[in-house]
């Protein structure tokens, strides 16, 4: 930040600071404030005098210097008198002693700390430079951002005179230097995708500033947009030649060559050689080691030796294998803690959940690891290969230990290995990883009798065991010497002071209480779990086996209360007691989960132990009473709560009146934000419940309705893929059971999924099928929704007459049901048809009618969709300011409601407004933001639309190279989809190509 303009610290007043101290601003309009009160600083010339004195850094300015500053070479005849008048007026409104007369001139003195915004900016800039020099880029960026935020428009705005003009130029140049420095740090920290929109706008505003062009090229390249990055160079070279008759500076030419050569050095941020490297994040993720770790000395020494050899080797990998419950994790964590000193750059840990049906995906784990290592979310790529490559790059030069616990197989592990010298990986798994190249394999067996007894003694206590040594040996033998089984049994005994060791041994001697403990593999693990389960009180045992039935990765306290049909307080006591036995884990406050194998065991217990509610009831298949009732209550809970969320977000919407009735109540929320928080927090568990419940005819209808009520998840981005997979599974179940009503409703959920993803042909087919089945079943609501969807799909496919027919019918159907919000939705979609067919006035009227309906019902979120439609109509009618207002209103609601699809589309439509208003730079910024928000959602057709508008905006600011790249990508999308928009984009490219 060379060349920073300085304002030395003003002399402070001798008295203590008063609450209403004077403060001045020059980084924008020249202002003075006393607390919250604005001080009138007079005419432009009077403000020019004040600015000149403030910028004199507390030094005295002579009258001649001030006259020259205000009027230059042609002052008025009464300049000196006018100067004295201005000074007198300022002295009256400022605090005593601030504006002083001295040696025939004037000075501003006695200002408090932080009284001048420029001085504050200088201090912040110096602080940022110091932080950057120390390698703390996060702090440097934040502090520099605070400095830049002090500018409020043009510096010294509205202040006349040659001195003010010179200072304006100087301070604007400094601001740009600060901005370039902050953007440079943005790229160093991997925020290249976010920086593109800002740099696009800045290069449009300052087209000849090569450093901004260079940063834009680098940001585009790191965002995977190499063609656009090269197009920026072409645009810059042509502009410099045309405007200045010069070539780009060497740094810009070198960057172009490096991009052409795909230089690996550009792929990851790197600080300038003169600056210290940014201090890396040092993760310390190892779980706590157990204080009573016992035995395993040979294994500890063996693994410790391998880890100690990591320095100087490509990578040290140890894979510990053994049956569940044998202590693989305990051993690995203990060894990892002992080896921490050899890995000063951190330790990473993950439970890969390999023993369950849904093991952790490597790309998800890599995302978590990269965040833990300091990589910003926007810098994390999407694909597994790219994440693995970035992970290895981040670890290069570091000494990090990676503990991969509970792995499924070698294929799951390979992408997670560091692969660099000085790093090491420690893997645990139920299988021997003979196909993991270069791994040091360790087979972990059960404890020796001495080790097992020692562990038991440490937990229970020396005194109790010494008194009943033979009984203690019987206990550990009954545990099969498995560490987890021993720990569960010993913990139970330690928690019950009235029990004797002999009493526990007697319980374990009954083989009917265990599941064939001598078998190998999982059955031995289940035998171990039987020890804890057999010691539970009846209410605890019931909770243990019923909670294991739910398919989600964990379960909330409220959902658990529904499964158990108990009050939340009693449920929490039971669950916490299960946590104490290690049969259940507390994932977070109010959330609980099973280890994979414990869940399987709990389900086996439910199949074996659940019985009919009374002796007089007809005997269903063994054990299904309690199990089916528990899952039914959970489904009721989710459906009732999701319906409440839907009703809270969409007042007056009739969907909730057409859902299956429930007998178990759901949660109630104070506002829509609380409701949305619940929906997104429970998304994975909710979808798991839908899929699980769809398999039985008696719960299928409620499962489909739950999916329908939660359809916001299909538009949120994060849960869209899970929602789609669940919808497909539910549709298959409905067809399997031959239920046309259920199939129609399942199809209705899929129509929205395909629509959101831009698969309009498929959405149309599903909507037509849903309409046919729903009519056969006499279920009018899916007919309404499907008709509405068919109308908007026809619009996208330029079948306007078909679309109008579908929407007109949908409006009539919604009116028949008394569904006013549904009617408003169809009206707004019909507005889009009118707009596409040139009936702009009708489009505006229909959208306003939709807004009136939504507003009358207090339906904020759906009202945003109506404002979006009105914004489109107003744009086409030329009412651009009103259009922008409506779209901004919609955008705020969509952001607040986490509707990423519509947030991105609103930004796209605002870019169209900016283009129509001849604001191409702003349009480019908004289009870039839309691309970022719509990443991974909305489908390729919508991406093509945004790219087309972005190309138009870039062309408007003279960046034709980038514009061509955008249009070519858009045309490729349209041609692949067979979309008519391809002709429009081809026309945009034709004159360019002809030229």
């Amino acid at each position: 930040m060379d060349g920073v303009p300085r304002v030395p610290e003003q002399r402070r007043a001798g008295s203590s600071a008063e609450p209403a101290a004077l403060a001045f601003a020059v980084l924008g309009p020249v202002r003075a404030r006393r607390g919250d009160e604005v001080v009138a600083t007079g005419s432009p010339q009077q403000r020019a005098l004040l600015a000149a004195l403030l910028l004199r850094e507390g030094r005295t300015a002579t009258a001649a210097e001030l006259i020259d500053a205000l009027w230059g070479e042609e002052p008025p005849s009464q300049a000196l008198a006018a100067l004295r008048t201005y000074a007198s007026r300022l002295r009256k409104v400022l605090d005593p002693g601030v504006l002083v007369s001295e040696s025939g001139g004037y000075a501003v003195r006695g200002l408090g700390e932080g009284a001048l915004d420029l001085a504050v900016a200088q201090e912040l800039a110096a602080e940022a430079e110091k932080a950057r020099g120390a390698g703390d880029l996060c702090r440097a960026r934040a502090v520099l951002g605070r400095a830049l935020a002090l500018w409020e428009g043009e510096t010294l705005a509205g202040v006349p005179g040659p001195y003010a003009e010179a200072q304006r130029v100087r301070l604007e140049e400094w601001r740009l230097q600060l901005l370039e420095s902050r953007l440079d740090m943005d790229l160093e920290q991997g925020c290249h995708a976010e920086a593109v929109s800002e740099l696009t706008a800045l290069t449009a505003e300052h087209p000849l500033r090569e450093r901004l062009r260079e940063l834009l090229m680098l940001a585009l390249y790191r965002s995977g947009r190499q063609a656009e990055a090269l197009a920026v160079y072409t645009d810059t070279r042509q502009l410099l030649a045309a405007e200045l008759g010069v070539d780009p500076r060497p740094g810009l030419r070198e960057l172009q060559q490096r991009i052409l050569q795909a230089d690996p050095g550009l792929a990851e941020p790197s600080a300038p050689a003169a600056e210290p490297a940014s201090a890396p994040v040092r993760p310390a993720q190892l779980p706590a080691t157990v204080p009573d770790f016992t035995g395993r000395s040979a294994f500890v020494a063996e693994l410790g030796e391998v880890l100690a050899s990591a320095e100087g080797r490509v990578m040290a990998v140890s894979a510990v294998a053994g049956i569940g419950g044998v202590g693989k994790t305990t051993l690995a964590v203990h060894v990892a803690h002992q080896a921490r000193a050899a890995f000063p750059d951190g330790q990473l840990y993950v439970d890969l959940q390999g023993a369950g049906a849904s093991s952790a995906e490597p790309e998800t784990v890599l995302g978590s690891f990269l965040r833990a290592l300091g990589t910003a979310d926007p810098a994390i790529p999407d694909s597994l290969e790219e994440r693995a490559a970035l992970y290895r790059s981040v670890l290069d030069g570091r000494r990090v230990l990676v503990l991969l616990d509970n792995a499924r197989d070698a294929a799951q592990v390979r992408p997670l290995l560091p692969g660099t010298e000085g790093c090491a990986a420690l893997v645990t798994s139920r299988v021997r990883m003979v196909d993991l190249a270069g791994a040091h394999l360790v087979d972990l067996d059960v404890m020796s009798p001495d080790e097992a007894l020692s562990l038991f003694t440490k937990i229970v206590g020396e005194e109790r065991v010494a008194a009943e040594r033979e009984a203690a040996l019987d206990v550990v033998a009954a545990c099969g010497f498995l560490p987890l089984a021993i720990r569960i049994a010993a913990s139970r005994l330690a928690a019950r002071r009235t029990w004797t060791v002999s009493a526990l041994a007697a319980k374990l001697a009954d083989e009917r209480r265990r599941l064939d403990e001598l078998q190998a593999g999982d059955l031995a693990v289940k035998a171990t779990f039987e020890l804890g389960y057999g010691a539970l009180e009846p209410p605890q045992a019931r909770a243990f086996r019923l909670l294991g039935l739910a398919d989600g990765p964990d379960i909330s306290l409220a959902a658990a209360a529904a499964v158990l049909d108990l009050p939340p307080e009693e449920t929490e006591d039971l669950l916490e007691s299960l946590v104490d036995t290690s049969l259940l884990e507390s994932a977070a406050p109010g959330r609980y989960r099973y280890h994979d194998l414990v869940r399987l065991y709990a389900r086996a217990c439910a199949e074996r132990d659940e019985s009919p509610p009374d002796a007089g009831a007809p005997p269903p298949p063994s054990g299904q009473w309690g199990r089916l009732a528990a899952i039914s209550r959970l489904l009721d809970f989710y459906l009732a709560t999701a319906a409440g969320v839907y009703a809270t977000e969409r007042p007056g919407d009739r969907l909730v009146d057409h859902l299956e009735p429930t007998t178990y109540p759901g949660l109630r929320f104070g506002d829509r934000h609380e409701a949305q928080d619940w929906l997104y927090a429970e998304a994975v568990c909710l979808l798991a419940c839908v899929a699980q419940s769809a398999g039985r005819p008696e719960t299928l209808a409620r499962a489909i309705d739950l999916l329908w009520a939660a359809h916001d998840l299909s538009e949120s981005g994060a849960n869209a893929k899970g929602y789609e997979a669940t919808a497909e599974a539910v549709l298959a179940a409905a067809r399997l059971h031959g239920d046309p009503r259920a199939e129609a409703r399942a199809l209705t959920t899929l129509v929205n999924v395909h629509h959101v993803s831009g698969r309009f042909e498929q959405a149309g087919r599903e909507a037509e099928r849903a309409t046919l089945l729903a009519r056969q079943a006499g279920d009018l609501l899916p007919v309404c929704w499907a008709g509405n969807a068919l109308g908007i799909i026809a619009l996208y496919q330029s079948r306007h007459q078909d679309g109008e027919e579908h929407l007109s019918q949908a409006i009539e159907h919604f009116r028949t049901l008394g569904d006013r919000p549904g009617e408003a939705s169809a009206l707004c979609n019909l507005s889009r048809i009118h707009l596409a067919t040139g009936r702009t006035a009708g489009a505006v009227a229909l959208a306003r009618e939709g807004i009136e309906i939504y507003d009358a019902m207090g339906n904020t979120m759906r009202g945003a969709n109506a404002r979006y439609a009105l914004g489109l109509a107003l744009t086409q009618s030329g009412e651009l300011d009103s259009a922008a207002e409506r779209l901004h209103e919609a955008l705020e609601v969509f952001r607040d409601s986490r509707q990423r699809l519509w947030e991105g589309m609103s930004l796209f439509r605002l870019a169209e407004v900016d283009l129509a208003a001849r604001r191409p730079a702003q349009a480019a910024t908004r289009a870039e933001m839309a691309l970022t928000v719509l990443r991974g959602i909305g489908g390729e057709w919508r991406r093509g639309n945004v790219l087309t508008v972005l190309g138009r905006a870039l062309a408007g600011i003279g960046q034709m190279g980038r514009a061509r790249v955008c249009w070519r990508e858009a045309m490729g999308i349209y041609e692949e989809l067979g979309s008519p928009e391809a002709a429009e984009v081809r026309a945009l490219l034709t004159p360019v190509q002809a030229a």
Side-chain angles (χ1 to χ4, degrees):
M1 300 176 195
D2 296 333
V4 175
R6 303 301 308 166
V7 174
E9 182 179 353
Q10 303 277 5
R11 293 200 297 270
R12 301 181 185 179
S15 60
S16 61
E18 298 179 0
L22 270 176
F24 297 92
V26 294
L27 301 178
V30 175
R31 297 185 185 128
R33 304 183 74 89
R34 187 178 286 106
D36 294 332
E37 174 194 358
V38 177
V39 177
T41 52
S43 66
Q45 284 78 13
Q46 194 167 304
R47 292 197 303 276
L49 172 61
L50 177 60
L53 294 175
L54 289 169
L55 294 172
R56 288 278 171 168
E57 306 172 349
R59 294 179 287 103
T60 301
T62 66
E65 289 174 331
L66 291 171
I67 290 171
D68 186 60
L70 267 64
W71 290 288
E73 296 180 355
E74 298 181 1
S77 57
Q78 301 297 317
L80 182 59
L83 181 67
R84 289 172 177 166
T85 300
Y86 298 152
S88 175
R89 291 173 180 170
L90 285 172
R91 191 178 286 115
K92 290 178 182 178
V93 298
L94 302 180
D95 291 347
V98 171
L99 198 159
V100 298
S101 301
E102 189 175 77
S103 303
Y106 300 96
V108 169
R109 301 273 172 78
L111 298 183
E113 184 177 2
L116 180 61
D117 60 353
L118 177 57
V120 174
Q122 292 163 346
E123 291 172 3
L124 290 172
E127 184 182 346
E129 185 70 22
K130 183 178 179 181
R132 188 175 187 181
D136 191 350
L137 286 182
C138 287
R139 175 168 174 75
R141 288 175 64 206
V143 172
L144 208 49
R146 286 164 52 199
L148 288 163
L150 294 172
W151 266 267
E152 299 182 46
E154 184 185 38
T155 303
L156 303 174
V159 175
Y163 180 79
E165 181 59 31
Q167 294 299 313
R168 222 176 344 258
V169 172
R170 180 177 68 98
L171 291 173
E172 173 61 14
E173 173 60 26
W174 182 50
R175 184 187 73 85
L176 287 172
Q177 290 175 9
L178 295 181
L179 192 55
E180 288 170 346
S181 182
R182 198 219 73 214
L183 286 163
D184 189 35
M185 287 187 281
D186 287 349
L187 299 190
E188 285 187 61
Q189 290 215 301
C191 299
H192 35 267
E194 290 79 358
V196 169
S197 58
E198 185 176 2
L199 283 164
T200 297
L202 286 169
T203 54
E205 187 178 354
H206 305 282
L208 298 177
R209 200 169 183 94
E210 292 183 67
R211 177 56 179 157
L212 290 174
R213 299 272 184 158
E214 183 177 346
L215 290 169
L216 176 57
M217 288 173 64
L218 189 57
L220 286 167
Y221 180 75
R222 288 181 179 168
S223 300
R225 299 159 70 175
Q226 180 180 8
E228 283 187 68
L230 294 170
V232 170
Y233 178 82
T234 302
D235 291 338
T236 305
R237 180 175 52 79
Q238 293 172 350
L239 180 68
L240 291 173
E243 297 289 331
L244 305 177
V246 298
D247 292 327
R249 61 189 180 86
L252 203 60
R253 295 199 299 271
E254 180 185 349
L255 178 59
Q256 182 221 19
Q257 290 301 311
R258 294 179 70 188
I259 290 174
L260 285 170
Q261 296 162 9
D263 185 344
L266 294 179
E268 55 182 286
S270 58
E275 297 184 8
S278 175
V281 177
R282 291 180 175 84
Q285 296 184 341
L286 294 178
T289 187
V290 292
D292 49 26
F293 182 85
T294 303
R296 310 293 201 186
S297 56
F299 291 112
V300 171
E302 179 181 354
L303 290 169
E305 183 178 350
V306 174
L307 293 181
S309 69
E311 187 173 4
R313 293 178 56 182
V314 173
M315 176 179 56
V317 181
S318 294
V320 181
I323 61 172
V326 80
K328 300 182 297 296
T329 298
T330 302
L331 172 64
V333 170
H334 180 77
V335 170
H337 274 283
Q338 287 196 334
R340 285 183 65 183
F343 302 93
D345 296 318
Q347 305 86 40
L348 296 168
Y349 171 85
V350 65
D351 178 3
L352 294 172
Q353 304 174 22
S358 301
S359 56
E361 294 295 334
E363 52 260 51
T364 303
V365 176
L366 286 169
S368 175
F369 279 178
L370 287 168
R371 292 184 193 95
L373 291 165
T375 306
D377 269 343
I380 298 175
D382 289 333
S383 72
L384 171 62
E385 293 76 17
E386 290 176 315
R387 288 188 178 191
L390 179 58
Y391 170 65
R392 292 190 294 270
S393 298
V394 170
L395 288 179
D396 187 35
R398 300 192 193 183
R399 295 171 64 187
V400 174
L401 174 61
V402 183
L403 177 47
L404 305 173
D405 193 20
N406 195 11
R408 181 189 65 232
D409 52 28
Q412 185 188 28
V413 167
R414 287 189 191 98
L416 309 178
L417 297 177
T420 55
E421 180 179 338
C423 292
L426 190 54
V427 185
T428 72
S429 176
R430 289 189 294 165
V431 299
R432 294 188 82 241
M433 294 199 175
V434 294
D435 53 345
L436 191 60
H440 176 79
L441 302 181
V442 174
D443 293 322
L444 190 61
D445 203 351
V446 297
M447 283 181 154
S448 69
D450 289 342
E451 289 176 334
L453 183 61
S454 177
L455 174 60
F456 185 81
T457 302
K458 285 183 179 180
I459 299 172
V460 173
E462 180 71 34
E463 183 179 348
R464 295 175 76 182
V465 174
E468 299 182 89
R469 180 178 173 81
E470 291 301 320
L473 287 171
D474 291 340
V475 168
V476 296
C479 289
F481 306 112
L482 286 170
L484 180 58
I486 296 167
R487 184 172 298 281
I488 291 172
S491 297
R492 273 302 183 200
L493 188 59
R496 287 163 172 75
R497 303 302 300 176
T498 59
W499 283 15
T500 63
V501 181
S502 298
L504 177 60
K507 290 178 179 290
L508 299 179
D510 183 2
E511 293 187 1
R512 293 173 302 174
R513 298 174 62 85
R514 294 174 284 158
L515 296 176
D516 208 359
E517 71 201 68
L518 299 178
Q519 291 187 20
D522 289 348
L523 291 178
V525 176
K526 291 180 182 179
T528 304
F529 296 145
E530 182 71 18
L531 298 171
Y533 179 68
L536 296 177
E537 300 297 332
Q540 293 175 310
R542 175 179 178 269
F544 172 74
R545 60 181 177 259
L546 288 184
L547 290 176
L549 297 172
D551 268 356
D554 62 1
I555 192 167
S556 68
L557 177 60
V563 171
L564 301 179
D565 198 16
L566 293 173
E569 297 80 9
E570 188 175 344
T571 301
E572 185 174 21
D573 290 342
L574 280 173
L575 268 57
E576 288 298 326
S577 71
L578 290 173
V579 171
D580 291 340
T581 69
S582 299
L583 289 172
L584 195 65
E585 298 176 14
S586 180
R591 299 199 75 87
Y592 300 88
R593 68 186 178 201
Y594 287 93
H595 183 279
D596 301 335
L597 299 175
V598 179
R599 183 198 295 274
L600 294 176
Y601 175 73
R603 289 182 173 182
C605 291
E607 291 175 3
R608 180 188 64 195
D609 298 342
E610 285 300 313
S611 58
D614 58 71
S622 176
Q624 290 191 0
W625 284 101
R627 286 182 283 141
L628 293 182
I631 293 301
S632 180
R633 286 191 298 271
L634 179 63
L635 177 59
D636 271 2
F637 165 75
Y638 278 133
L639 177 54
T641 308
V645 173
Y646 190 94
T648 301
E649 291 180 330
R650 299 169 173 82
D653 196 302
R654 294 293 305 280
L655 172 62
V656 293
D657 300 326
H658 293 265
L659 300 176
E660 286 290 305
T662 58
T663 56
Y664 193 91
L667 299 176
R668 294 291 177 263
F669 304 103
D671 55 45
R672 68 185 183 90
H673 297 98
E674 186 181 347
Q676 288 167 352
D677 287 343
W678 178 88
L679 180 64
Y680 291 112
E682 290 290 329
V684 177
C685 295
L686 183 152
L687 294 175
C689 182
V690 170
Q692 183 177 18
S693 303
R696 304 192 67 87
E698 59 268 31
T699 51
L700 172 62
R702 279 179 289 156
I704 290 173
D705 282 358
L706 171 55
L707 192 66
W708 198 356
H711 80 83
D712 278 350
L713 298 178
S714 69
E715 300 179 6
S716 66
N719 304 292
K721 289 184 179 179
Y723 187 96
E724 180 175 355
T726 306
E728 294 283 4
V730 168
L731 176 61
R735 288 173 173 165
L736 179 65
H737 294 305
D739 187 336
R741 180 180 183 274
E743 184 178 348
R745 292 190 167 214
L747 285 166
T748 302
T749 66
L750 271 174
V751 168
N752 191 61
V753 168
H754 296 318
H755 171 217
V756 167
S757 300
R759 299 189 292 265
F760 303 127
E761 290 287 346
Q762 195 169 352
R765 290 195 300 271
E766 306 286 29
E768 289 171 356
R769 175 70 176 164
T771 301
L772 177 64
L773 291 170
R775 283 179 173 152
Q776 290 175 0
D779 192 8
L780 186 55
L781 192 60
V783 175
C784 299
W785 281 55
N788 199 10
L790 284 168
I792 199 68
I793 291 165
L795 167 69
Y796 294 149
Q797 295 175 333
S798 300
R799 296 183 291 105
H800 301 131
Q801 184 175 350
D802 291 345
E804 187 158 356
E805 291 176 3
H806 286 303
L807 290 169
S808 298
Q809 291 173 9
I811 290 168
E812 292 305 315
H813 290 320
F814 279 124
R815 286 172 177 166
T816 300
L817 288 176
D819 191 334
R820 295 283 285 159
E823 176 189 347
S825 174
L827 286 169
C828 292
N829 288 336
L830 186 57
S831 165
R832 303 276 302 276
I833 295 285
H834 278 236
L835 197 62
T837 52
R839 294 171 286 174
T840 307
V844 171
L846 286 167
R848 284 183 170 146
E849 188 178 351
I851 289 175
E852 289 175 6
I853 294 174
Y854 285 135
D855 288 354
M857 294 188 157
N859 199 325
T860 304
M861 193 164 78
R862 296 294 294 276
N865 290 106
R867 283 167 171 79
Y868 174 90
L870 180 57
L872 302 189
L874 292 172
T875 301
Q876 190 157 317
S877 68
E879 300 175 61
L880 301 181
D881 290 341
S882 296
E885 288 176 11
R886 300 294 82 75
L887 289 169
H888 273 295
E889 291 168 359
L891 176 62
E892 291 307 311
V893 174
F894 292 139
R895 279 178 174 161
D896 190 48
S897 302
R898 308 179 206 179
Q899 294 293 302
R900 276 184 52 207
L901 170 65
W902 293 108
E903 177 189 347
M905 291 305 296
S906 296
L907 288 166
F908 162 61
R909 297 302 185 180
L910 280 166
E912 290 186 321
V913 173
D914 289 329
L915 272 182
R918 299 185 179 181
R919 297 189 294 265
Q922 189 166 321
T925 300
R926 289 225 169 93
E928 286 284 3
M929 292 170 66
L931 283 177
T932 300
V933 172
L934 291 173
R935 187 176 182 181
I937 192 170
E940 287 298 288
W941 180 76
R942 290 186 177 91
R943 176 175 171 79
N945 292 345
V946 179
L947 285 168
T948 302
V949 167
L950 176 58
R952 290 180 184 273
L954 292 171
I957 58 176
Q959 297 186 18
M960 286 303 302
R962 279 186 68 193
R964 284 194 293 270
V965 172
C966 292
W967 289 334
R968 287 183 185 126
E969 185 177 351
M971 189 168 69
I973 290 171
Y974 292 143
E975 287 178 343
E976 184 175 348
L977 296 174
S979 300
E981 290 86 357
E984 174 193 346
V985 179
R986 195 175 294 109
L988 290 171
L989 283 166
T990 300
V992 174
Q993 292 168 346

